[in-house]
Structure formats: C-alpha cells, structure tokens
Amino acid sequence: MFAKEVYIRRRAMLLKKMQEAGAKGIILFVGNAEAPAQYKDNYYKWRQDSSWLYFMGLDEPLMAAILDIESGAETLFADDVEIDDIIWMGPQPSVRSKADAVGIAHTAPYMALSQAVSLAKKSGRDIHFLAPSRYFNTLRLMELLGCQRIEKKVSEELTKAVISMRLIKEDIEIEAIDHACDLGYEMHSVARDAIVPGIVEQEIVGKMEGMALAKGWGASFPTILTQHGETLHNHGHAAVIEPGRLMVIDAGVESNEHYASDFTRTYPTSGEYTRKQREVYQIVYDCNELAFQLAKPGITYREVHLATARKMLEGLQAIGLVKGDLDEMVAKGIAGLFQPHGLGHNMGLDVHDMEDLGENLVGYDPDQTRAKQLGLGSLRMARRLFPGHVITDEPGIYFIPALIEKFKKEGLGYDFVNYAKLESYYDFGGIRIEDDVLITPDGARRLGKRRLPASPDEVEAAMAR
C-alpha cells in the first residue's frame, strides 16, 4: 500500500474528472469478497479488485465505498471483527484505523451500504459504478440496485475517467512495476536454468512459481510453459522435455503491491538452436527490436504492430515461406497466419491492465476502430502512445497446422503463401519474445534493471552457463 496521500489525491482527481464530465450523484465501489473453492471456509487465493486497490488501497475482503460527486464526502463500508473472527485470525485493526490509513473520513457498517444506495435511488441520484469482474460483485450490485441485469447501467463517465487515470502510470507505479519485472527476471532465470531433457515440465513450473511466492504475491497469470508453442495459451505441464525442441515460457510475477510483470522467452531444450529454429527465432527477435525502436510518444501502437508485421513477412520471405509484395501482404492480413495475436497489451495492476472495464475502451482511442483481420483484430493496445504508458512488446511466429490447413482449404493467400514448404514446419511449434516497455518523453525503455537474454547468441550463452 502506498502513502495515504496517494489515495486521497487519486480520489480527488476522480471526483474532479466526473464533475468536469457533468456527472452527478454518487460513485459506488464494491471490493471483492472471498470465494469458496470446495466449501465455505476453504477459499480460492485472495485477490482484491484492482480499481479498488488503485483508489482505496485496502487489500481486504467485504469492503465498499461511496464517493459523493457533489459534496466530495467519502464513506468506507466495512465491519470490525467479532470474537469468532479473533479466535481464528487474531486481533485485527479497526475499520476506523483502516479508513485513516487511506484518508477516508467517514465509516459505516458493511450492511449499511444497502440503505445508503437505497436512499440515493429514492432521491433520484445517479449511481455510478464500474463493470464487475467477479460474480459476487455482480450479484451484490444487482441486489443493491434492484435489477436483474446491470450491464447497461455501468457508468460510461466513471469507466472513462478511471481508464484515463490508470492508463498513465505514476512514478510510484513505475517503480513498483520495475520491481515486479526484477522478480520476473529472476523467475525466468530459474526456469531457463532448469531446462533439462528428460524431466517433466511441471518441475520447472514448480520452481518458477515457488520463487514468485517466496518474493511476491505469486504468478501474475497462469504460467505458460510448453514445447507446443503453436498453442498460444498452453497451460498443460505434463510433458517430458525432449531434446531438440523449442520451449516457450510466458510468465510473470505479481509483486506484493499487486503490480505485474509479463515476459516470454523461447529456449532450445538442448541448449542450442537448430539452423531452422535459429532462422525463425532471428525474425522474431528482429521484430521485437523494431517494435521497441518505434515505440515513442505520438505513434499509435497499431502502427507499430503493422510495421512489425511487415518486418516479419520480410523475414519469412527471405526463408521462402511467403512471396510477393510486402505491403500487399500486410494489407491482406497474411501476417495473421503466422501471428494470430496482437503485438501487445497494457500492463499495470493487472497483467492485461483494466481489460475487465472493456478491452476496446482501454486499448483504443475514440477515433480508432478494431479491425476484423486475423492478428490485427486481436490487438489489445492500439492507442496513440504517451509518456507513462506501460505496454508489452511480444511478437511471435507460430506454425499452427490446423490454421494453415484452414487457410489452404478456403483458398486464402495462395498468391503469397508457400503452402508446400510450410508442411515441413508442422512439427516446429512456435516462438515468442516478450518484454515490458515504458513509454518515456523521448522514446521507451524496457522495465526492470536487467533484460533477459533475448538474441539467439545471448540465449545460447546463458544456457551454456
């Protein structure tokens, strides 16, 4: 948790933005509750709502808050512990002391929230809230508002105000993300050093996530570690590591402050790339470098995505997998056959920051529309870049037999794609290289004190050590 002045300032800025947008009424924040896994007292691992953390900082279940847009009054709704709670958890700080820690003047019991919302409704006041990501919060909001569906009642003014604040990271947040990236560096180093043919992938995942739990909150998302990198989100870890394969490791650490890192590296399981693997790896590495060089204030990340798509096709053309005019291939979406995902996404308190509030609202400027093209259509961050944006740079090349066969069957790309030669890549897998990037006033920098080995020579040298 940051100093209380941080949360006071953030809430004041939010109220100001809402007032400037002409909004009236109250802002309702509902924090997360614990979710039972198998039975009532055996919970899934606790994680607070990220927007709640951003504005309130209190990392505990069953809390809510109301901010009055007109008067500026702030009320925290939560309960002090009772003797049964003390027996199991020990003495706990009072609600009053928690409110003081984040600069909230008024407190009330959690059950008083229903009466406060009901009074606002009876008075004809607008009730602004964000789209919930948890079922508990959805049900709680339905109960509070007395409606069966809440999707159309989500406040557009509040959503846009929150996004505008959380998109541009403050210095204290950048410091927190740098720390998460330092932990991510250590996590990936543990993984790289553990790659040995003959062991089960799960053994490496256990070492990685053990490190993440020892020094942070844990993994920032379910770890991807696989010799089948052509499956973009492969979370199965039961395979035995085979020599001569490529292993994609996409993983990150969530720090104790709940800021995320997200790195991907692709390793040769035998310690050295084959000629064929190195050719493709070099293309992906060149795309990663190009994206980093292009990322700076004023350019849109959509433009960066398209430039890297062209670079990728240029490399694939050099090894005989595609042919024809590069610009025409980019326009027709041929790159999507090899990279069916976008170049990157926003990152911060969530590894895919704020996408619970609406992916298009978070990742696209008002004058941008999302493409329908494979690859480009999956771009999560297309906005014009400004200092303080934190984004991922994660190009990849994947040889997905089912997708290639679908293209071929539908007669797509015959003027550009060498389908005959592609058949020899059906057992290749995939390659992805991902870094976390901060946009600075004059360009960009990679987050964390050190960059994980990225070039093919650097990776092989690291594995040799």
Side-chain angles (χ1 to χ4, degrees):
M1 192 166 72
F2 300 126
K4 73 176 181 179
E5 289 76 17
V6 172
Y7 303 105
I8 293 171
R9 172 172 46 78
R10 287 175 177 175
R11 294 192 300 269
M13 176 62 71
L14 180 63
L15 288 172
K16 181 180 178 182
K17 283 179 174 287
M18 293 293 283
Q19 292 163 358
E20 290 173 346
K24 297 182 182 298
I26 63 171
I27 299 170
L28 170 62
F29 283 105
V30 179
N32 285 343
E34 289 186 303
Q38 292 87 10
Y39 58 91
K40 184 176 75 69
D41 293 322
N42 186 27
Y43 298 110
Y44 287 105
K45 186 178 180 182
W46 164 250
R47 175 57 155 85
Q48 182 60 280
D49 175 80
S50 292
S51 288
W52 174 274
L53 284 174
Y54 185 85
F55 290 103
M56 310 299 166
L58 298 170
D59 196 5
E60 298 178 38
L62 278 184
M63 290 185 164
I66 286 179
L67 311 184
D68 192 304
I69 298 173
E70 282 107 319
S71 72
E74 301 176 341
T75 304
L76 173 68
F77 295 85
D79 293 327
D80 285 313
V81 297
E82 299 179 349
I83 188 62
D84 285 346
D85 302 306
I86 294 173
I87 291 170
W88 292 101
M89 300 186 303
Q92 300 294 309
S94 68
V95 171
R96 180 65 265 159
S97 67
K98 295 172 186 176
D100 288 341
V102 294
I104 296 177
H106 306 291
T107 65
Y110 187 77
M111 292 308 295
L113 180 65
S114 298
Q115 183 180 356
V117 174
S118 177
L119 179 61
K121 285 173 58 183
K122 288 178 181 177
S123 302
R125 304 190 75 191
D126 294 330
I127 300 170
H128 300 269
F129 61 91
L130 299 171
S133 59
R134 295 283 186 93
Y135 287 122
F136 172 87
N137 290 357
T138 299
L139 294 172
R140 188 78 178 102
L141 286 166
M142 288 166 55
E143 177 188 18
L144 289 168
L145 300 172
C147 60
Q148 295 299 311
R149 299 184 66 86
I150 60 170
E151 292 89 343
K152 293 183 179 180
K153 294 181 179 292
V154 170
S155 171
E156 184 176 351
E157 299 98 328
L158 179 60
T159 302
K160 289 181 175 179
V162 170
I163 289 172
S164 70
M165 292 179 65
R166 287 182 58 190
L167 260 181
I168 304 300
K169 304 303 187 274
E170 302 172 68
D171 288 345
I172 52 173
E173 293 183 282
I174 294 167
E175 183 179 345
I177 299 171
D178 266 324
H179 174 59
C181 288
D182 290 338
L183 297 178
Y185 178 99
E186 187 172 344
M187 181 197 215
H188 274 260
S189 298
V190 166
R192 182 191 64 238
D193 295 346
I195 296 172
V196 179
I199 70 169
V200 178
E201 293 170 346
Q202 183 178 352
E203 294 181 46
I204 304 177
V205 175
K207 292 178 180 179
M208 295 169 64
E209 296 192 356
M211 175 267 139
L213 285 168
K215 297 191 176 182
W217 180 87
S220 54
F221 58 96
T223 297
I224 298 165
L225 184 148
T226 178
Q227 297 162 91
H228 284 281
E230 75 279 8
T231 303
L232 302 185
H233 279 185
N234 193 332
H235 298 296
H237 306 131
V240 174
I241 297 175
E242 302 173 18
R245 300 290 297 275
L246 289 170
M247 175 170 283
V248 174
I249 302 179
D250 186 343
V253 177
E254 181 171 329
S255 70
N256 287 327
E257 296 76 31
H258 295 298
Y259 283 86
S261 60
D262 182 7
F263 297 128
T264 307
R265 290 296 185 266
T266 305
Y267 298 103
T269 58
S270 296
E272 293 183 355
Y273 298 102
T274 66
R275 180 193 59 79
K276 192 175 185 180
Q277 290 169 347
R278 180 178 271 263
E279 283 180 342
V280 179
Y281 189 99
Q282 186 67 49
I283 298 169
V284 178
Y285 174 73
D286 290 343
C287 290
N288 176 280
E289 290 290 311
L290 176 64
F292 178 68
Q293 292 162 13
L294 292 176
K296 60 183 179 181
I299 194 171
T300 68
Y301 215 45
R302 185 180 189 276
E303 292 172 297
V304 179
H305 173 103
L306 291 171
T308 58
R310 191 182 193 280
K311 183 72 172 178
M312 181 180 298
L313 291 166
E314 182 182 21
L316 292 171
Q317 187 179 64
I319 62 174
L321 295 182
V322 298
K323 58 187 177 180
D325 182 77
L326 291 171
D327 293 329
E328 191 175 357
M329 281 194 278
V330 172
K332 291 185 179 296
I334 299 303
L337 176 61
F338 303 96
Q339 182 186 288
H341 63 74
L343 179 62
H345 52 80
N346 290 291
M347 198 183 74
L349 275 168
D350 299 307
V351 71
H352 282 211
D353 209 28
M354 295 180 289
E355 288 184 8
D356 57 319
L357 303 183
E359 196 175 302
N360 288 345
L361 284 172
V362 173
Y364 286 75
D365 288 319
D367 62 347
Q368 292 176 320
T369 55
R370 198 181 189 106
K372 296 181 179 179
Q373 195 179 83
L374 182 65
L376 180 60
S378 296
L379 180 61
R380 287 180 155 96
M381 170 55 170
R383 285 178 177 266
R384 191 167 304 282
L385 299 178
F386 288 92
H389 275 137
V390 172
I391 53 178
T392 62
D393 168 9
E394 51 179 305
I397 291 177
Y398 316 88
F399 299 97
I400 307 170
L403 180 61
I404 296 168
E405 288 296 319
K406 182 178 186 293
F407 261 57
K408 186 164 61 172
K409 183 179 180 180
E410 295 175 0
L412 301 173
Y414 266 95
D415 293 338
F416 306 105
V417 180
N418 187 343
Y419 284 109
K421 188 168 183 178
L422 266 182
E423 290 183 9
S424 67
Y425 285 79
Y426 278 16
D427 62 349
F428 184 95
I431 293 172
R432 180 163 66 253
I433 303 172
E434 178 182 16
D435 295 308
D436 302 333
V437 174
L438 168 69
I439 303 302
T440 63
D442 56 357
R445 75 166 174 90
R446 295 184 177 98
L447 287 152
K449 294 186 181 73
R450 296 172 290 176
R451 187 189 186 195
L452 285 162
S455 74
D457 287 343
E458 290 171 343
V459 171
E460 289 182 349
M463 296 194 76
R465 288 196 297 273

